[in-house]
Amino acid sequence: MLSPLLSSASAKFCVQPPTFFIDTAPGRPALANARDALYDLRARSLPRSHRPGAPIVKTYKLNPTPGSASGLDFERDLNDEQRQVVTAGSGPLLVIAGAGTGKTHTLTYRVAYLVSKGVPPENILLLTFTNRAARAMTSRASALITTDVTRQWSGTFHSVANRILREHAPLLGYPKDYTIIDGEDAQTLMKSCIAEAGVGHLDRKLPRASMLTRLLSTTLNTGVSLADALFDRYPYFAHLATPIEKILHLYQIRKKEMGLMDFDDLLVGWHRLLTDFPDVRRHYASRFEHILVDEYQDTNHLQGAIVDLMASVHGNLMVVGDDCQSIYAFRGADYRNILEFPERYPDARQYRLEINYRSTPQILELANRSIRYNVHQFQKTLRADRPEGPMPAHIHLRDPNQQAAFVCQRILELVDEGTELNNIAVLYRSHHHSLELQLEMTRCEIPFVVRSGLRFFEQAHIKDALSYLRFLFNPRDELAFLRLVRQWYGIGNKRAQDIWLFLSSQPDALAALDDPALLDSLGGRAKTSWASASKLLARLRQERLATGPDQLLTTLLQSDFKDHIQSSYEQAENRIADLEQLANYAAQYESLDHLLGEISLLSGISGQEIGVGETFDDQFVCLSSVHQAKGLEWDAVFILSLSDGEFPHQSASQDQAQMEEERRLFYVATTRAKRDLHLCHPLIKTTRDRTPVVLRESPFVQELRDESHVEQRPLPWEDWKIEA
């Protein structure tokens, strides 16, 4: 039909009715003029004109060309469960995807399937929790079909929010060229707002800027009030709700005045556009014919609301996730988003992916039986695609030191049997559970990497505590002194240097801590803070003569140092537990110099060889908290400290919701293992007063043991007893 138009220098393009005349502009190719005319034709939507002689104009919409599905082979590439999800029709869809069941693979094929059926890629929105995951799925989908799928909108909630806000930010009072600030910049601005808020007399008790930014983030993402957030997460600051609210309000004002947005503002702004501006909501909700959300169980209250608003026109919303792997409540994730999805979308169809390609039947039997004790969940049963393997092992150990010795010896055996170091992981509920193991692996020269953060002695709060001991041992240690003194309110870099210059000029720095001349040289808050700090240091100096390093750490934890931990660090309870474990560890050393010397040596050694004579330069055993291990897998997995009060955490014992989240953590930990799973149970731990305490089995182990006894079912593990 277009050939007559393209073959003539002056042509007519006819659509009957009406007739359109397209005159070729001088010097332009006929094809370019034809395209201009077609684009103009599709872009205009004008009513019939009432002027005499005016032409009748209609909009002619071309149907999208379906992408070629030549690369899609559903029979070959998908199992029956996955195929049902990929080829599901329109409407709301809930996909419960168990661990290791090919969730990402299924989502990729769903995108390719939609495009192959004629859905324009730019009308698909894919929301993930990492941009890397979005790029990987989009690239793989493009490889399956001939259409360029990269035109679809995909990425994290924050990246999509930024894309939308760049167009509509002025509606919210922001410029289009607003600046996104990172966490460090946000803390700098928060510090300025603390000073500007006029609450200086409260500085000794106020949370640090970093904690205030996290507190504000919690209220925005979860929808809870400031008072409730303080009560639930920071009860020791609840009485300061009024000044804290003043600071946070000022912080919000200053950001807007300077055209700044932090990461939370992106989500809040996106939500405001959808709720306060109906035209904007209709525009985007109409544009995206299909919305797909990955890891839906990890969305928070605000993200869940955004998804519902974006799907308010077409209703073609597919959410994919596993409620049994919802383990990030401490970050604001709300597993009710996925559990209550059928209530918000009564016509939603549900699908389950239950064929597991990762773990052996023996491991899945244990995981399935454990998670069934959770009341609030979508029931499912993982089924193994892999062949039979060894039974999981439940190992009874004397204490954390023997636990560390066992894990190291067993790692060496696994390597000798052919398992690579990179395919071995040690998982734990809390970071301090790995203290003895890190030390033992260093001694055994087994290389390891700590995925859950820094090595134990490299953590900031551990270094904060050790700085006191280092200064007591060596009063000439300027670095240790500057670190400890800056922990006190009102003492910044300048004041810290002034105090150090005075002390270092004295014959006995420790004796000069409370020198009146030093106190008189300080002013305001610095003077008050240094008076408290010098008293603490004087007490520690006196105790050092009669007690061991563990008692020094205990005294430190009972002092104002605890306020520093609570005001400076997120999850202060876990940090304090780490410090208590450090005190327990220090109990085996009679002198301060012996303890500090051992820590210094161990901190500087990473271990380059494994004790079977072969070097593995690029291989490391992975040490990780269970939270950081989600989504990963290894051939062999060790789970540490499966004792009551350790895993699950002792704070969960009286709260069903917390206990269910802890059981989900256990479920995630067990399903990281492909072949070998070791459940470690230390029988004894030593308290700070050196009293041995007998530890019962973890409730997650005990409930399965009781079930097996009552129902006459075999245990889902072998019990191993250690002979020393």
Side-chain angles (χ1 to χ4, degrees):
M1 293 297 294
L2 291 178
S3 56
L5 171 66
L6 302 180
S7 63
S8 172
S10 180
K12 298 177 181 180
F13 175 70
C14 301
V15 178
Q16 298 293 339
T19 300
F20 297 89
F21 296 92
I22 305 175
D23 291 328
T24 305
R28 293 196 73 204
L31 178 59
N33 287 275
R35 283 174 176 162
D36 288 348
L38 285 171
Y39 295 158
D40 182 63
L41 174 64
R42 294 186 60 184
R44 288 180 295 168
S45 180
L46 304 176
R48 181 189 296 267
S49 174
H50 294 289
R51 292 179 297 166
I56 301 172
V57 180
K58 288 187 176 180
T59 298
Y60 183 87
K61 183 178 181 181
L62 290 176
N63 294 323
T65 302
S68 171
S70 59
L72 296 176
D73 190 335
F74 297 149
E75 293 297 326
R76 179 194 64 197
D77 299 336
L78 302 169
N79 63 38
D80 290 340
E81 295 174 347
Q82 295 169 340
R83 193 159 44 247
Q84 290 180 38
V85 173
V86 168
T87 60
S90 58
L93 307 171
L94 171 62
V95 182
I96 304 301
T101 58
K103 168 180 62 67
T104 301
H105 182 71
T106 304
L107 265 175
T108 300
Y109 269 75
R110 174 66 175 176
V111 171
Y113 173 81
L114 290 174
V115 176
S116 73
K117 292 301 180 182
V119 179
E122 58 268 26
N123 291 0
I124 298 174
L125 174 61
L126 172 62
L127 293 168
T128 64
F129 272 79
T130 66
N131 286 318
R132 180 180 179 182
R135 288 193 299 268
M137 281 189 270
T138 300
S139 176
R140 287 166 58 189
S142 294
L144 294 172
I145 56 179
T146 59
T147 303
D148 182 11
V149 179
T150 58
R151 299 199 312 274
Q152 78 168 352
W153 281 41
S154 62
T156 64
F157 279 85
H158 294 89
S159 65
V160 173
N162 182 47
R163 188 171 179 178
I164 291 174
L165 284 167
R166 288 299 177 191
E167 182 66 26
H168 303 286
L171 293 175
L172 304 176
Y174 286 89
K176 284 189 176 182
D177 60 348
Y178 60 83
T179 299
I180 301 174
I181 58 176
D182 59 17
E184 184 177 348
D185 290 335
Q187 290 180 35
T188 300
L189 179 57
M190 186 67 76
K191 290 177 182 177
S192 175
C193 293
I194 292 173
E196 187 179 347
V199 292
H201 60 291
L202 298 171
D203 274 7
R204 183 65 188 90
K205 296 296 183 181
L206 277 174
R208 296 288 178 92
S210 58
M211 185 169 292
L212 287 175
T213 57
R214 289 191 292 267
L215 177 61
L216 178 60
S217 180
T218 296
T219 63
L220 295 175
N221 285 284
T222 64
V224 302
S225 67
L226 175 62
D228 288 341
L230 284 170
F231 180 80
D232 291 338
R233 295 173 180 255
Y234 313 103
Y236 33 85
F237 292 125
H239 63 290
L240 297 173
T242 299
I244 288 175
E245 185 174 18
K246 182 177 181 180
I247 295 169
L248 297 184
H249 179 66
L250 185 60
Y251 172 74
Q252 298 286 63
I253 292 175
R254 290 292 173 266
K255 280 187 300 180
K256 198 165 188 178
E257 288 176 347
M258 292 185 282
L260 306 177
M261 287 195 189
D262 60 25
F263 294 130
D264 295 317
D265 292 324
L266 296 175
L267 295 186
V268 171
W270 186 6
H271 184 258
R272 276 194 59 201
L273 285 174
L274 299 178
T275 54
D276 296 353
F277 301 92
D279 290 344
V280 176
R281 180 177 68 249
R282 282 192 294 269
H283 169 73
Y284 287 104
S286 298
R287 171 177 184 156
F288 295 115
E289 299 176 27
H290 286 267
I291 298 175
L292 300 88
V293 186
D294 190 17
E295 302 287 6
Y296 187 64
Q297 79 281 347
D298 293 333
T299 56
N300 58 42
H301 174 79
L302 182 57
Q303 291 166 330
I306 289 171
V307 168
D308 290 342
L309 290 166
M310 291 291 287
S312 59
V313 172
H314 295 289
N316 296 326
L317 172 62
M318 173 182 282
V319 298
V320 183
D322 183 3
D323 55 296
C324 293
Q325 296 187 72
S326 179
I327 59 175
Y328 297 121
F330 69 96
R331 294 181 186 169
D334 191 344
Y335 76 104
R336 291 175 299 181
N337 283 347
I338 191 169
L339 282 182
E340 296 173 1
F341 188 84
E343 298 176 17
R344 298 197 310 279
Y345 296 89
D347 57 338
R349 283 169 290 152
Q350 296 186 30
Y351 298 88
R352 281 169 171 72
L353 302 181
E354 298 179 322
I355 300 177
N356 177 284
Y357 293 93
R358 176 186 299 151
S359 306
T360 62
Q362 287 77 8
I363 292 173
L364 295 185
E365 170 70 10
L366 188 154
N368 285 330
R369 285 169 61 173
S370 175
I371 200 62
R372 285 194 187 116
Y373 281 87
N374 271 15
V375 176
H376 302 97
Q377 65 164 308
F378 293 108
Q379 292 290 341
K380 64 179 177 299
T381 301
L382 294 179
R383 307 187 305 279
D385 182 71
R386 293 189 59 170
E388 300 285 327
M391 288 288 290
H394 180 242
I395 305 99
H396 302 271
L397 300 143
R398 182 181 63 249
D399 54 25
N401 290 317
Q402 191 178 70
Q403 175 178 250
F406 163 75
V407 171
C408 288
Q409 179 174 314
R410 184 67 184 129
I411 286 174
L412 295 175
E413 292 172 353
L414 288 168
V415 171
D416 200 34
E417 295 166 6
T419 303
E420 295 184 347
L421 287 178
N422 285 349
N423 285 324
I424 301 174
V426 183
L427 308 182
Y428 36 82
R429 172 62 181 84
S430 300
H431 198 46
H432 67 263
H433 292 159
S434 68
L435 169 58
E436 291 82 5
L437 178 63
Q438 289 189 37
L439 298 174
E440 185 65 21
M441 292 183 75
T442 302
R443 294 189 187 102
C444 294
E445 297 185 333
I446 300 176
F448 65 92
V449 60
V450 182
R451 184 178 176 84
S452 55
L454 299 170
R455 296 186 179 214
F456 187 85
F457 292 112
E458 295 171 353
Q459 297 176 99
H461 58 291
I462 299 297
K463 286 187 172 182
D464 287 349
L466 291 176
S467 65
Y468 288 84
L469 303 190
R470 287 174 52 194
F471 179 66
L472 288 175
F473 177 68
N474 177 15
R476 296 178 301 279
D477 189 338
E478 180 180 357
L479 295 179
F481 178 78
L482 293 179
R483 184 180 189 103
L484 76 85
V485 75
R486 284 196 295 259
Q487 297 169 27
W488 295 82
Y489 280 98
I491 302 180
N493 291 332
K494 177 64 169 60
R495 290 292 191 188
Q497 285 289 348
D498 291 343
I499 298 172
W500 171 251
L501 288 174
F502 179 87
L503 293 178
S504 60
S505 67
Q506 304 300 309
D508 185 346
L510 292 175
L513 290 170
D514 57 354
D515 191 303
L518 174 57
L519 284 173
D520 291 341
S521 69
L522 303 174
R525 290 172 292 174
K527 182 176 183 178
T528 303
S529 289
W530 178 246
S532 299
S534 61
K535 283 183 180 179
L536 173 59
L537 287 167
R539 180 181 175 187
L540 292 172
R541 180 195 185 199
Q542 184 178 9
E543 286 187 358
R544 183 193 169 189
L545 302 175
T547 62
D550 58 320
Q551 182 56 48
L552 295 176
L553 288 166
T554 299
T555 298
L556 188 63
L557 280 171
Q558 294 172 344
S559 71
D560 290 342
F561 175 77
K562 189 173 182 180
D563 294 338
H564 159 69
I565 297 297
Q566 291 176 336
S567 63
S568 301
Y569 296 110
E570 188 74 9
Q571 301 182 59
E573 290 183 0
N574 290 343
R575 310 275 185 165
I576 292 172
D578 286 350
L579 293 165
E580 291 175 344
Q581 187 66 18
L582 175 63
N584 292 341
Y585 170 75
Q588 62 186 295
Y589 296 94
E590 295 182 358
S591 65
L592 191 55
D593 58 336
H594 190 193
L595 170 66
L596 294 175
E598 184 79 354
I599 290 175
S600 298
L601 290 173
L602 291 173
S603 298
I605 299 174
S606 60
Q608 292 303 316
E609 292 188 358
I610 185 166
V612 293
E614 185 176 355
T615 300
F616 295 78
D617 293 333
D618 298 321
Q619 292 197 23
F620 302 87
V621 175
C622 179
L623 272 58
S624 176
S625 69
V626 182
H627 287 101
Q628 294 292 330
K630 184 175 173 292
L632 303 177
E633 59 185 37
W634 296 271
D635 287 343
V637 169
F638 298 82
I639 305 177
L640 300 185
S641 299
L642 276 169
S643 307
D644 193 15
E646 304 292 333
F647 194 166
H649 194 275
Q650 60 182 1
S651 64
S653 60
Q654 303 300 320
D655 187 293
Q656 181 183 356
Q658 288 189 45
M659 184 61 82
E660 292 207 351
E661 172 131 345
E662 293 287 314
R663 191 177 286 106
R664 292 195 293 269
L665 267 178
F666 179 63
Y667 175 82
V668 168
T670 58
T671 54
R672 299 311 93 196
K674 296 180 182 179
R675 184 193 65 232
D676 294 288
L677 177 62
H678 305 80
L679 311 176
C680 300
H681 168 217
L683 296 169
I684 296 173
K685 76 171 182 178
T686 304
T687 62
R688 278 186 293 171
D689 60 1
R690 303 186 185 184
T691 302
V693 175
V694 176
L695 299 173
R696 294 177 296 176
E697 285 184 328
S698 167
F700 306 145
V701 173
Q702 188 60 51
E703 62 196 11
L704 293 178
R705 193 181 295 280
D706 293 342
E707 168 206 276
S708 298
H709 176 72
V710 172
E711 300 181 9
Q712 299 299 305
R713 301 178 66 183
L715 285 169
W717 62 71
E718 298 174 339
D719 277 312
W720 290 11
K721 298 188 185 302
I722 301 299
E723 292 183 359

